[in-house]
Amino acid sequence: MALILGLPTDGLPVTGMTMSSFEALQAECLDQFGVAPCKKECRGCCIKLTWLRDLKENLQLTDEISIRRYVKCHIMLLIGMILFGDKSGAAVHSKFLPLLRDFGSIGQYSWGSACLAHLYRVLCRASRFNNSFALNKYIILGGVTGSFVWAAYSMDRVDPNIIPLEIYMQSVIWSATVPLVSFECIEWHATDRIRRQFSFVQGVPNQEQNLDKAHGKVLTSPKNLNWATALTHSYWVMHWTNRYNHVLSEVPMPSQYPLEYYMDWY
C-alpha cells in the first residue's frame, strides 16, 4: 500500500461514527462542500460518484475554501474508485466524509492499513477454496524453489527515483502483527506467517487469530454506530493503537530455503 499507492501506513485508525440517515449525509455534504446531493444522487448511505465528479468539475478555484472542496472531492473519488471500491464502482460510502473535516489532519490517518483491510475482506469474500488453495500452494512452492522474490520492494532492489526515500520512513511498522482497521472492517495482518517478506527467517507462526464477531461485519443495513468504541471493535482498535509493541524484531538474515521444522509444520 505504501510502495505501490504511496499511502501513509502509520497513524490514526480509519474509524469513527457511521450515520444511516439521509439527513445526516446531506448535512455532512453541505458542511464540507457547500451543497448537498438529492436522494436520486445517492444510494442508501453512499454518494454516487457522478455527483462528486460533476461537483469537482464545476468548482471555481477562486479561494482556499473552493480549493479544499476540490481536493476533498478528488479524495472521495479516489476512495470510491480505487482505494475502497466495490463491484458496482458507482458510489462511495459517506462514512469517510467526517475524516475529511479537518483538512490538515487528513494525512494523519493510516489510509494504507485501512485499504489493505478492505483488500483482505473482498479477497476473503471472492475466493473459493480450490482457487485459494492452488494460489497458496504455488506461492509456498515458489518460495521453496527460490523463484519467488519475497522482498521485492527492498531498498536495494528499487531505483530511488521511482520510490522516494520518504515512503520508507514508516516501514518500521510494516511488519507489525496487528489488526487492520477500516470502520466495520477488521482484518488480521499476519506478518508472522510471511517473515521472509521482511528478510527474517520463517519459523512456525503463531496460532491463527480469531477476530470473533468483528470479522464479517457489513454496512448493508442502517447502522448508527461509533466503530471505534463498539463492543466488537474497540479491543482491535486499541490493539492497533499499540502497534509498535507488535513489530517483528530480530536481526534480518538472508534465508533462501525454509527451515526444516517449518516445512514439517506446513
Side-chain angles (χ1 to χ4, degrees):
M1 294 299 146
L3 298 171
I4 296 176
L5 298 176
L7 295 172
T9 47
D10 197 10
L12 300 171
V14 176
T15 189
M17 192 77 189
T18 54
M19 300 294 291
S20 62
S21 72
F22 176 69
E23 291 73 20
L25 185 157
Q26 280 193 313
E28 192 66 47
C29 287
L30 189 62
D31 178 60
Q32 298 210 43
F33 299 123
V35 62
C38 61
K39 278 201 172 182
K40 69 177 182 179
E41 293 164 324
C42 297
R43 196 182 66 191
C45 297
C46 297
I47 307 168
K48 289 185 178 179
L49 297 179
T50 51
W51 183 82
L52 286 165
R53 193 176 292 113
D54 290 342
L55 176 61
K56 177 187 172 186
E57 292 175 354
N58 291 301
L59 278 170
Q60 300 296 318
L61 307 183
T62 56
D63 53 24
E64 186 175 348
I65 292 177
S66 60
I67 292 173
R68 289 188 176 190
R69 287 173 177 171
Y70 180 91
V71 173
K72 288 180 180 182
C73 282
H74 186 71
I75 291 173
M76 288 295 284
L77 287 168
L78 284 176
I79 288 174
M81 292 190 297
I82 299 176
L83 305 182
F84 300 90
D86 59 22
K87 61 183 179 181
S88 73
V92 58
H93 203 288
S94 60
K95 65 185 179 181
F96 296 104
L97 267 178
L99 304 184
L100 309 185
R101 286 176 190 163
D102 185 353
F103 193 79
S105 299
I106 295 174
Q108 295 181 15
Y109 289 95
S110 178
W111 295 104
S113 66
C115 188
L116 189 59
H118 178 76
L119 174 62
Y120 285 172
R121 177 62 58 88
V122 295
L123 284 174
C124 179
R125 291 175 180 170
S127 298
R128 292 178 298 180
F129 173 78
N130 56 344
N131 289 339
S132 61
F133 175 77
L135 176 63
N136 290 334
K137 182 178 180 183
Y138 172 79
I139 291 176
I140 293 296
L141 291 180
V144 171
T145 59
S147 61
F148 189 85
V149 179
W150 286 99
Y153 296 100
S154 59
M155 293 182 66
D156 60 337
R157 296 183 61 88
V158 179
D159 187 333
N161 295 317
I162 297 176
I163 299 178
L165 289 176
E166 55 263 29
I167 293 294
Y168 291 97
M169 291 179 61
Q170 297 180 348
S171 62
V172 64
I173 61 101
W174 290 354
S175 70
T177 308
V178 290
L180 304 172
V181 180
S182 178
F183 285 94
E184 80 287 357
C185 180
I186 304 289
E187 292 289 330
W188 191 251
H189 195 217
T191 55
D192 58 320
R193 292 174 177 258
I194 49 168
R195 298 178 74 94
R196 295 178 70 180
Q197 183 175 322
F198 306 101
S199 301
F200 298 145
V201 175
Q202 180 64 62
V204 175
N206 298 325
Q207 181 71 20
E208 62 270 19
Q209 185 68 47
N210 180 12
L211 297 174
D212 199 26
K213 294 181 180 180
H215 193 262
K217 290 286 184 179
V218 294
L219 280 180
T220 53
S221 58
K223 284 187 174 65
N224 295 321
L225 187 65
N226 187 340
W227 297 96
T229 57
L231 292 177
T232 54
H233 284 55
S234 59
Y235 172 80
W236 305 111
V237 172
M238 185 59 65
H239 196 146
W240 167 262
T241 303
N242 296 326
R243 58 196 173 278
Y244 279 91
N245 295 327
H246 303 283
V247 172
L248 297 182
S249 59
E250 66 179 67
V251 178
M253 295 177 60
S255 176
Q256 298 301 320
Y257 302 99
L259 299 176
E260 184 176 348
Y261 65 85
Y262 170 79
M263 292 307 299
D264 290 341
W265 167 85
Y266 176 72

